[in-house]
Amino acid sequence: MNTILSLKKEKNSTGTFYVPPSRFKSWVDQVSFPNQLCFGSRRSFCTVSPHPENKEEYLLSEDLWKVLGIPEECLIHLFEKGNSLHIGPLIGVFTAGFTKDSMRPIGERSMYFAKLLSAATKCGAVGFVFGAHQINWEAGTIKGLMYNKRGWYRATVPIPDVVYDRLPNRSSEATEQVSNTMKKLQSQYFTPWFNPGFFDKWTMFEKLRVDHAVKQYLPETVLNAKSSVLSQMLKDYEQVYIKPANGSLGLGIQQILKPANEKYYYCRFRSEKENRLRRYTSLSRLLKTQYPNGLKGLIVQEGIDLHRINQRPMDYRVHTNKNKEGKWEVSAIAAKIAGAGSLTTHMASDGTVKTIGELASEFGINKQIEADLMEASLQLSRAIDAKLKGFIGEIGFDLGVTKEGKIYLFEANSKPGRGIFSHARLKSEEARTRSLPMDYAIFLAKSAIEKQLVTTV
């Protein structure tokens, strides 16, 4: 049994958990009754009884409500393991960048987190947002941020059943307090923690290029390239992209071009929110000006002759998520068309977003590309999942497609940006990218509960 039902407070009894008659009958038939109730890391003895009004809902006496630290009446799952019942699950969304603004407690990302917690509620889970500084290790509690129809509020809850990592950037992840929190929750509480860390472009490339199922999607990529290697790549491809191995959002990317029929080298980059193009008489002069410190820590990637819309290159953002069964699925696809003179399709560089349907109706692009992108993204998701440690629940892919229809992987992001979802026709996809992580969190929590040793009291 894994039905989502309402959990309500009962004020006329003590130490009792009331369940629908069908659930209670299953224990009568087994002649075995649970006697512990768990919420996150908290547990308490209890007596189980059939619902006094035979309703399909759960009732919990007020004293247990306080002991377990349940913040409010809600929809829940009920998982059974041995003599214990686990309600919730309790999902902690881990992040940084909190403010003192009660209306926007996580700054500009507050609306995203509000929608995420609302998705958790609909999925039958109790969600909250927290940072490393909000944990009381001695009490085993967290003063987390909750959200309901009335807005944001704070509540003290137990250590969660599962943690969804939504740290905003690498610098927040690198702090000692954050890394200690991750280690402590996983080692002392065995809390499943999914989507930890940020992908490193070079590490990802090295792992994927030895995988026969996906190496076809990889453009030639070199780390710490020497000028002679760069020169040869420009002869082979006439264009390359140079970018930080651990960058994101298109920051720091430069495009080097050397058309075969020209003697000049060109560098396209973005500076102070403007797209720039410089011409050089030699590669050495270009490197001396654009890269005075050399190419250490940078990757050089083969330039792909992308399919173009009105002479502007286009690539695709594909989101994949694990679902309530722990299986990968595609949750969103959109095309990104580069802005005038821009070297990337990022919206911050004046790029525009189109749905697959719009590409077909406005530009006559074959909708078969959607199936091809989905297949490539699922293959890449499974390959990455198999090669990296920890739980991965979502990936954002930037994929390029040539005029001939060949697909290339440019980037894979563990915490994909959400700029494409400002498009009016991607609202349902945006909602799925919020509900699926909650479904996967419930899957992880249930799996962790099933692996626990049975407690006999």
Side-chain angles (χ1 to χ4, degrees), residues 306-379:
L306 293 171
H307 193 275
R308 290 173 179 263
I309 297 290
N310 297 330
Q311 281 71 57
R312 296 183 183 184
M314 173 180 70
D315 63 15
Y316 295 84
R317 164 57 61 88
V318 185
H319 281 244
T320 61
N321 289 83
K322 280 186 183 167
N323 57 26
K324 60 185 176 183
E325 297 169 350
K327 307 289 186 185
W328 286 105
E329 65 175 74
V330 174
S331 50
I333 299 182
K336 299 180 296 172
I337 303 170
S342 176
L343 74 160
T344 75
T345 60
H346 289 86
M347 293 184 71
S349 301
D350 303 321
T352 56
V353 174
K354 294 284 184 182
T355 65
I356 299 293
E358 286 174 325
L359 290 181
S361 61
E362 294 177 26
F363 307 107
I365 290 179
N366 191 335
K367 289 194 76 174
Q368 175 62 32
I369 191 62
E370 183 174 25
D372 295 343
L373 287 166
M374 289 175 72
E375 177 60 26
S377 300
L378 291 173
Q379 285 184 335

Side-chain angles (χ1 to χ4, degrees), residues 3 8 43 46 109 119 164 179 203 221 241 249 254 291 307 313 321 353 379 416 418:
T3 310
K8 295 181 179 178
R43 58 177 57 219
C46 72
R109 297 176 297 141
Y164 175 30
S179 59
T203 303
T221 306
Y241 284 86
L249 303 175
Q254 298 195 25
Y291 297 98
H307 193 275
N321 289 83
V353 174
Q379 285 184 335
R418 308 187 64 78

Side-chain angles (χ1 to χ4, degrees), residues 39-43 66-69 134-143 156-160 184-185 188-189:
F39 180 63
S41 61
R42 284 281 178 90
R43 58 177 57 219
K66 291 178 181 177
V67 168
L68 294 172
Q134 292 160 339
I135 305 174
N136 182 332
W137 292 107
E138 290 182 8
T141 60
I142 300 174
K143 194 170 185 180
T156 300
V157 294
I159 300 297
K184 214 167 181 179
L185 283 176
Q188 294 186 13
Y189 289 89

Side-chain angles (χ1 to χ4, degrees), residues 231-364:
S231 179
Q232 184 59 51
M233 289 179 74
L234 285 168
K235 287 178 183 176
D236 293 340
Y237 308 116
E238 298 188 24
Q239 59 167 321
V240 298
Y241 284 86
I242 301 178
K243 45 192 172 182
N246 58 2
S248 60
L249 303 175
L251 300 175
I253 294 180
Q254 298 195 25
Q255 181 189 28
I256 313 299
L257 303 104
K258 173 59 174 71
N261 59 351
E262 283 199 38
K263 63 179 181 179
Y264 294 109
Y265 292 81
Y266 297 89
C267 180
R268 183 176 280 138
F269 59 102
R270 190 167 176 85
S271 175
E272 296 176 355
K273 297 186 178 181
E274 286 187 357
N275 297 318
R276 308 285 295 275
L277 179 67
R278 283 182 182 161
R279 187 178 72 176
Y280 292 90
T281 55
S282 69
L283 181 59
S284 60
R285 284 189 176 184
L286 184 153
L287 290 174
K288 190 175 181 180
T289 304
Q290 300 294 142
Y291 297 98
N293 299 318
L295 297 176
K296 188 170 179 59
L298 301 172
I299 60 173
V300 179
Q301 198 166 73
E302 164 192 353
I304 307 300
D305 190 13
L306 293 171
H307 193 275
R308 290 173 179 263
I309 297 290
N310 297 330
Q311 281 71 57
R312 296 183 183 184
M314 173 180 70
D315 63 15
Y316 295 84
R317 164 57 61 88
V318 185
H319 281 244
T320 61
N321 289 83
K322 280 186 183 167
N323 57 26
K324 60 185 176 183
E325 297 169 350
K327 307 289 186 185
W328 286 105
E329 65 175 74
V330 174
S331 50
I333 299 182
K336 299 180 296 172
I337 303 170
S342 176
L343 74 160
T344 75
T345 60
H346 289 86
M347 293 184 71
S349 301
D350 303 321
T352 56
V353 174
K354 294 284 184 182
T355 65
I356 299 293
E358 286 174 325
L359 290 181
S361 61
E362 294 177 26
F363 307 107

Side-chain angles (χ1 to χ4, degrees), residues 161-163 192-194 391 439-449:
D161 294 296
V162 60
V163 172
W193 187 295
F194 74 100
F391 299 108
D439 281 336
Y440 179 55
I442 294 167
F443 167 82
L444 283 180
K446 183 184 178 186
S447 301
I449 289 165

Side-chain angles (χ1 to χ4, degrees), residues 104-148:
R104 302 172 73 197
I106 320 157
E108 293 180 359
R109 297 176 297 141
S110 298
M111 182 55 71
Y112 163 70
F113 284 111
K115 290 180 177 180
L116 192 63
L117 297 188
S118 297
T121 300
K122 290 177 184 175
C123 292
V126 180
F128 68 97
V129 182
F130 75 108
H133 62 291
Q134 292 160 339
I135 305 174
N136 182 332
W137 292 107
E138 290 182 8
T141 60
I142 300 174
K143 194 170 185 180
L145 272 170
M146 318 287 293
Y147 185 84
N148 60 23

